[in-house]
Amino acid sequence: MFRSEGEQAAVGRATDGTGPTLFRERFLQGESVERGVRLSILDSWQRCRTLGLSPDQSDLPFRDDFEADGRIVRAAAPVLDRLESLFAGSKINISVADANGTVLLRRFGETSMSHSLPAIQRVPGFVFAERVAGTNGIGLALAERRLIRVYGAEHFAERAQANACVALPVRDPLSGGIEGVLCFGYPRGFETPALSGVIRKAARAMERRLLGQSSARERALLRAYLATQAEADEADGREGSAPALRLRPGDRALLMEKAAELISRAQRAAVDVPLPDGRRVTLVSRPMRSASGVEGVAIEAVLPGSTPGERLATREPLVVPARGDERLPTLPVGFPVEPAVVAAVSRLDRLSLTPPVGHLPNGNGAADEDGAERATVDRDGADGAVGAGTAAVSVTGAAAAGVIADGLGAAANGSPEPPPSARGLVMVGEPQVGAYALAARRRLELLSEASARIGTTLDVRRTAEELAETAVPRLADYVTVDLPDAVLRGEESADPVGDLHRTVIHGLRDDLPFTPVGRRTDFGPTAPQRRALTGGQAVLEPDLASAAGWLAQDPEHTGTLLTQVHSLIAVPLVARGVVLGVVSFYRAQEPAPFGDDDRSLAQELATRAALSIDNARRYTHERAMVLALQRRLLPHGLPDQETVEVAHRYLPAEADVGGDWYDVIPLSGARIGLLVGDVVGHGMLSAATMGRLRTAARSFAELDFPPDEVLVHLDNLVGRLDREDPEGEGEGMGIIGATCLYAVYDPTSQRCVMARAGHPPPALVHPDGGVTYPDLPAGPPLGLGGLPFDAVEIDLPEDSQLVLYTDGLIEDRHRDVDLVLDELRGALAHHPERTPEDTCQAILDTVAPAHPCDDIALLVARTHALDPGRIATWELPADPARVGEVRAAAMRQLSDWGLDEAAFAAELILSELVTNAIRHGTGPVRVRLLHDRSLICEVADASNTAPHLRRAASTDEGGRGLFLVAQLSRTWGTRYLPEGKVIWAECGLDGV
């Protein structure tokens, strides 16, 4: 491994900008690639996968509501014109996007490059945010908030594999907020380090122009400066000051950080500080004493062109220490002191200072108002890093935005180059305050980074990994995180101290003998981790070699670790009163041991991470509960029947579980009902609503309502549930909604009747392997109310396959529905011999999204026909004399089928049903016997009047016929036809 821009990358990674092609392929296949990919790229890939992005996505979203003449556009247009001239003839394209990732401007080194882009990308408005476009320069620069590079295959999308890019956020110099992103795209073979310098200079030019647009803010700052200047002139007894320093915000921050370090040394010294644009600034530090006796250190900056011999010392030259020296060389005794510095130090007690600074340009690039010089005084030290009670004073020229060395900024803004020589006061502070300022700045930067990096997902394990990745190497060299298994499952641990398992190991190297991930970790009673868990506070062991409690828990193991680490901070992970685990921060032999400040920082870092881990745990718990409820409410098994051969799948969404369901319902006459549905929304409410709708749908279906009438009843039910919802705030709020598809297959006629309510159409696989989508009216979703549903009847030859599914299979924000339906057709075609189980698996493997954003319910049914030899039918007029003939014919048929033992019950049932049909119904009367898994007796007539079971009194002469039918049959009922009805009874064949 090696480090590039603070990130780990694989040894031997291609240097021509091709990117980690192999690692990307492994990642897309679900393999672990943490050791081979830069952390920022891997984080971005994982976010893309969590968002359900597809690497094959080609189209980008387009927005037409962007501000075509906004601040960033006005600031960037002249700079891009200059860049277009600079890169003329090259394969580089230049883009500027706003803070949302919407591209507003684009230039090309070669005009012909625009013709190779899709038409939508040639005009402003297409979006390159990471959440929609995957890993790319603009999106990642916004996510990481810094300069980034993306090489070839580091792009998540296939469309960008041949390109590389470098991108940098553009900030408002006054607010510090990101206004946009500047991005250079180029062929991956064009990679050159010089682009980093060019893009920094161009971004600074844009920031300078942004600053020029803030004229009202500048005038307010000018008035504040003039008031401070008057106070300083009165105290100094003179007017005017030294020439100004013209520094960019980034240069100023660099000098402030180094100045704080010099103050902490309390010596006469000079250090040469290189700036990013190639210039060098000399910082000179001098011990000072105020009139009231306060001792401090003043830091002055000298830009190239000054004559230090004249202003500072003439007897000896400045001594410039090498980078990394422990001690700074001292300047000669009697080093002259500038009057302005003396005056500043004399006001140290009042924490007010007026240094010489440069002219501040206004919106037109000229000096503001009367051209006066001004500055702002930060009384809290380096960018607010020094706390109350310190005596550091930092001087910042808030509007001195800086000048790009190659003239790019001047060309873009029209402001003059800085004077050939300049010097000015940078910071004044007491001894040791610089070290506090520097450490505080770094702590704040780390905590700010932690807020952005920790908790990007709602996965407990990944959140713990983000904690470790944030702390290494800024705070520690190695981090381990130990969590109970219950926390990983989303629950509270009953024994958070004794049931810990190693969850994360992350560090500079991966060969240290820590307890492996997944292994149980047993910390002894004197171990720092155990003390941290029981005490609830961070435990610091600055020297592990003398930490008896740590050494005693496992002498052999800890002895091996001592060759690599020497300092430890153990911090409990506690959030909302729940103990979630413990995190251990280790430092290697080379750096200084941990101190109290490090312990405070580790405690704060762990506290913030614990909240994110607890959020992930709670989400995991809620998702597990919803998923358990969902699975509990789905069918646990399929009914025993020979009408269809059925297979099913339920695949929950990766994020929130929805309310998808399926059902297989045995109906009268050997028919079978196939049902799939989807409740709108996700979470517990959707799962509970799904259970209610599935139960209701099954009840309506078992009443033998046709599919369109079942949907009407469900529509009324959903509307009623919506009105009764206490959170619905009245009628018509549309809180609850659902879609549904219901099909009824009759194996005696090999026909299927189906209807749908806003649901995707089914797929029909014919016996010859062809695939069609039946022309079935869509119908409105359930819950709208008052709209009809249309049913369609189609032929289903034996060995056909009917595929029913919910919209999670085909609808995805990154896929076109028509293309997915074509994929489904291809996955089903030419495989009529496949079993329903194989068909289900093939659909999930080829059509289902890799990371579904919605639930998927899938039901595949292969049809079978009932053998005509097992169907017997008689038709007779409404004549009571014919009852005996039918009864005798039925008995002969039962004897032929070998059902003599069922003949007695069947004879009585048929006699009663045929007699009732002739007496109370309308002819003709049709009698049918079906020999399936049971014996089904059916009597149909043309009347719509249904018989009702009633209890006959002892004196009644009639009314006992249906009672006998109910006693002799397993179940019975009435099925209505378009004209007439069918009374049926089912007899068991257990003894046959």
Side-chain angles (χ1 to χ4, degrees):
M1 306 294 289
F2 71 93
R3 293 188 172 275
S4 174
E5 297 181 2
E7 298 184 73
Q8 294 184 351
V11 173
R13 182 177 63 82
T15 58
D16 60 353
T18 58
T21 305
L22 177 62
F23 292 112
R24 178 177 176 274
E25 293 301 322
R26 290 179 177 174
F27 175 84
L28 294 178
Q29 294 172 10
E31 299 180 19
S32 176
V33 294
E34 283 81 0
R35 300 180 182 177
V37 182
R38 291 190 292 152
L39 291 180
S40 60
I41 299 297
L42 180 57
D43 288 345
S44 178
W45 287 357
Q46 291 171 337
R47 290 193 295 268
C48 293
R49 182 163 60 186
T50 301
L51 291 169
L53 300 182
S54 170
D56 299 324
Q57 172 192 350
S58 58
D59 294 331
L60 294 172
F62 181 84
R63 294 179 54 189
D64 56 4
D65 58 345
F66 62 89
E67 192 174 358
D69 192 30
R71 295 183 68 232
I72 188 67
V73 173
R74 297 197 305 271
V79 181
L80 262 62
D81 292 339
R82 174 64 181 257
L83 289 172
E84 184 177 29
S85 175
L86 179 65
F87 292 118
S90 68
K91 293 290 186 179
I92 291 184
N93 68 82
I94 309 136
S95 302
V96 170
D98 63 16
N100 297 316
T102 303
V103 174
L104 307 177
L105 296 172
R106 178 164 256 191
R107 301 285 192 274
F108 300 91
E110 288 184 4
T111 307
S112 60
M113 294 177 61
S114 63
H115 302 308
S116 63
L117 295 174
I120 196 174
Q121 294 188 26
R122 301 175 192 170
V123 295
F126 60 94
V127 182
F128 263 122
E130 186 185 74
R131 67 182 182 278
V132 295
T135 306
N136 69 88
I138 292 175
L140 192 53
L142 288 172
E144 294 286 325
R145 307 178 70 84
R146 62 181 177 86
L147 176 71
I148 61 94
R149 288 179 180 270
V150 182
Y151 304 94
E154 288 182 336
H155 291 88
F156 189 80
E158 293 286 350
R159 65 173 181 274
Q161 298 297 294
N163 300 317
C165 62
V166 57
L168 180 66
V170 178
R171 299 176 181 271
D172 185 336
L174 287 177
S175 69
I178 293 178
E179 286 285 332
V181 177
L182 175 62
C183 180
F184 293 167
Y186 45 90
R188 61 189 184 188
F190 186 80
E191 180 63 28
T192 172
L195 289 178
S196 296
V198 176
I199 199 170
R200 289 183 189 276
K201 296 174 183 178
R204 284 195 290 268
M206 294 166 59
E207 290 173 348
R208 189 174 181 185
R209 291 185 58 81
L210 284 171
L211 185 66
Q213 297 177 29
S214 304
S215 57
R217 172 64 173 161
E218 291 175 352
R219 285 193 292 271
L221 292 176
L222 176 61
R223 286 192 294 270
Y225 168 74
L226 292 177
T228 308
Q229 182 68 59
E231 178 186 352
D233 290 342
E234 179 181 357
D236 291 346
R238 63 181 183 87
E239 296 183 2
S241 54
L245 296 176
R246 299 292 302 276
L247 298 173
R248 292 179 292 274
D251 300 338
R252 211 166 43 245
L254 181 63
L255 293 180
M256 294 292 294
E257 185 173 350
K258 193 63 179 178
E261 182 180 344
L262 290 174
I263 288 178
S264 67
R265 299 174 182 265
Q267 294 178 325
R268 296 177 179 272
V271 63
D272 198 16
V273 181
L275 300 181
D277 60 6
R279 294 185 299 167
R280 307 184 77 85
V281 175
T282 301
L283 291 182
V284 180
S285 66
R286 308 177 188 143
M288 306 296 297
R289 181 187 296 272
S290 69
S292 60
V294 179
E295 294 184 352
V297 177
I299 309 296
E300 187 178 17
V302 181
L303 266 63
S306 297
T307 55
E310 297 176 5
R311 304 292 299 277
L312 300 175
T314 57
R315 291 173 290 176
E316 294 183 32
L318 290 174
V319 182
V320 181
R323 182 183 295 271
D325 286 354
E326 288 298 323
R327 293 178 55 83
L328 293 176
T330 58
L331 293 178
V333 179
F335 200 83
V337 178
E338 287 294 317
V341 177
V342 176
V345 176
S346 68
R347 295 191 298 275
L348 186 61
D349 294 336
R350 295 186 301 164
L351 295 181
S352 63
L353 181 64
T354 305
V357 294
H359 294 281
L360 178 66
N362 61 17
N364 300 320
D368 216 28
E369 296 187 2
D370 59 356
E373 298 171 345
R374 57 194 171 87
T376 60
V377 178
D378 184 349
R379 299 169 182 250
D380 291 329
D383 291 348
V386 180
T390 64
V393 180
S394 68
V395 182
T396 60
V403 180
I404 295 179
D406 64 357
L408 181 59
N413 195 302
S415 61
E417 294 289 336
S421 63
R423 56 191 295 123
L425 192 63
V426 177
M427 182 182 288
V428 176
E430 296 179 17
Q432 302 301 321
V433 77
Y436 298 146
L438 195 60
R441 178 195 294 272
R442 290 172 178 170
R443 285 195 296 270
L444 289 174
E445 289 175 350
L446 179 57
L447 292 175
S448 175
E449 181 180 343
S451 299
R453 293 190 60 180
I454 300 176
T456 60
T457 69
L458 288 172
D459 180 80
V460 175
R461 192 181 303 274
R462 179 57 193 153
T463 305
E465 292 172 351
E466 290 170 342
L467 165 61
E469 292 165 0
T470 302
V472 176
R474 304 276 292 277
L475 174 62
D477 297 319
Y478 302 94
V479 174
T480 63
V481 181
D482 300 283
L483 303 176
D485 275 347
V487 172
L488 295 173
R489 296 193 303 268
E491 305 169 1
E492 292 186 16
S493 176
D495 184 15
V497 177
D499 185 30
L500 293 172
H501 290 75
R502 181 58 44 86
T503 306
V504 175
I505 301 174
H506 183 71
L508 302 180
R509 293 166 48 190
D510 55 5
D511 58 348
L512 265 66
F514 289 109
T515 301
V517 171
R519 187 80 59 82
R520 183 186 181 93
T521 50
D522 295 317
F523 297 112
T526 59
Q529 290 85 350
R530 175 66 70 90
R531 286 184 282 142
L533 287 168
T534 55
Q537 297 294 326
V539 173
L540 168 64
E541 292 288 359
D543 184 8
L544 289 176
S546 59
W550 185 76
L551 293 170
Q553 59 177 333
D554 187 351
E556 182 178 356
H557 179 67
T558 54
T560 305
L561 273 178
L562 276 178
T563 62
Q564 302 292 337
V565 298
H566 74 99
S567 192
L568 165 67
I569 300 176
V571 190
L573 294 169
V574 182
R576 303 180 179 98
V578 178
V579 178
L580 304 171
V582 64
V583 55
S584 303
F585 302 91
Y586 295 89
R587 274 191 181 168
Q589 294 289 354
E590 292 80 6
F594 285 122
D596 289 333
D597 287 343
D598 297 315
R599 176 173 55 185
S600 300
L601 177 58
Q603 180 79 61
E604 178 66 22
L605 192 63
T607 299
R608 298 190 181 196
L611 286 174
S612 297
I613 292 175
D614 192 50
N615 289 338
R617 180 193 66 82
R618 288 167 174 250
Y619 168 79
T620 301
H621 178 67
E622 181 179 348
R623 185 179 187 276
M625 290 179 59
V626 174
L627 185 57
L629 176 62
Q630 176 87 354
R631 293 191 184 279
R632 181 64 182 171
L633 295 176
L634 289 173
H636 291 171
L638 298 178
D640 292 333
Q641 47 81 36
E642 296 180 354
T643 302
V644 293
E645 181 184 352
V646 179
H648 56 87
R649 293 287 190 278
Y650 171 71
L651 186 65
E654 283 197 349
D656 296 326
V657 178
D660 293 16
W661 87 91
Y662 60 87
D663 210 346
V664 179
I665 309 170
L667 302 175
S668 64
R671 297 172 305 142
I672 198 76
L674 304 173
L675 185 69
V676 291
D678 181 8
V679 175
V680 174
H682 301 86
M684 190 71 71
L685 175 62
S686 295
T689 303
M690 178 274 291
R692 300 171 73 177
L693 290 184
R694 175 180 170 256
T695 302
R698 190 178 185 92
S699 300
F700 295 144
E702 289 177 344
L703 290 173
D704 272 326
F705 291 136
D708 52 336
E709 290 189 25
V710 169
L711 295 184
V712 170
H713 288 294
L714 286 176
D715 181 54
N716 294 332
L717 174 62
V718 172
R720 185 165 61 253
L721 293 176
D722 193 6
R723 292 189 295 272
E724 293 173 355
D725 185 355
E727 298 181 359
E729 298 181 3
E731 191 172 339
M733 295 300 293
I735 301 301
I736 299 175
T739 66
C740 185
L741 170 62
Y742 180 41
V744 177
Y745 171 67
D746 188 346
T748 63
S749 63
Q750 300 180 43
R751 295 185 66 79
C752 181
V753 181
M754 60 182 72
R756 61 178 175 141
H759 202 83
L764 175 59
V765 184
H766 298 274
D768 61 359
V771 180
T772 60
Y773 294 101
D775 186 11
L776 180 61
L782 300 177
L784 295 183
L787 298 175
F789 299 95
D790 296 324
V792 171
E793 187 174 15
I794 62 174
D795 291 323
L796 281 185
E798 188 172 12
D799 290 330
S800 298
Q801 288 195 22
L802 191 62
V803 180
L804 286 68
Y805 50 88
T806 56
D807 57 4
L809 178 68
I810 63 171
E811 293 184 7
D812 187 275
R813 58 185 174 185
H814 306 298
R815 302 192 300 173
D816 183 82
V817 173
D818 293 334
L819 294 178
V820 178
L821 289 175
D822 289 340
E823 291 180 10
L824 178 60
R825 187 195 306 271
L828 296 173
H830 309 299
H831 295 284
E833 73 286 351
R834 264 195 319 217
T835 66
E837 285 289 342
D838 293 338
T839 301
C840 280
Q841 195 58 47
I843 292 174
L844 294 182
D845 291 342
T846 60
V847 182
H851 307 284
C853 300
D854 194 6
D855 290 13
I856 297 175
L858 180 62
L859 188 65
V860 178
R862 169 179 282 178
T863 62
H864 299 295
L866 188 60
D867 185 354
R870 292 192 168 208
I871 305 174
T873 305
W874 300 274
E875 189 168 331
L876 65 155
D879 183 0
R882 303 290 301 274
V883 175
E885 297 178 9
V886 173
R887 185 168 60 239
M891 293 305 100
R892 289 192 298 271
Q893 183 64 64
L894 292 179
S895 179
D896 293 341
W897 286 342
L899 303 180
D900 295 326
E901 294 188 14
F904 176 75
E907 183 179 11
L908 289 177
I909 290 173
L910 284 175
S911 296
E912 181 62 32
L913 294 182
V914 172
T915 301
N916 281 343
I918 293 175
R919 180 178 299 177
H920 303 291
T922 305
V925 176
R926 184 171 59 88
V927 177
R928 187 172 72 163
L929 294 180
L930 303 177
H931 180 196
D932 192 30
R933 298 176 66 89
S934 60
L935 177 64
I936 302 172
C937 305
E938 295 183 345
V939 177
D941 65 78
S943 172
N944 289 324
T945 302
H948 297 281
L949 180 67
R950 65 185 179 90
R951 184 179 297 276
S954 59
T955 57
D956 290 344
E957 295 183 359
R960 297 177 179 85
L962 286 181
F963 178 76
L964 291 176
V965 171
Q967 294 298 312
L968 293 172
S969 64
R970 178 185 296 172
T971 181
W972 71 280
T974 303
R975 181 171 74 251
Y976 289 94
L977 302 175
E979 294 181 359
K981 66 180 181 298
V982 175
I983 310 298
W984 57 271
E986 182 178 333
C987 300
L989 302 178
D990 298 337
V992 179

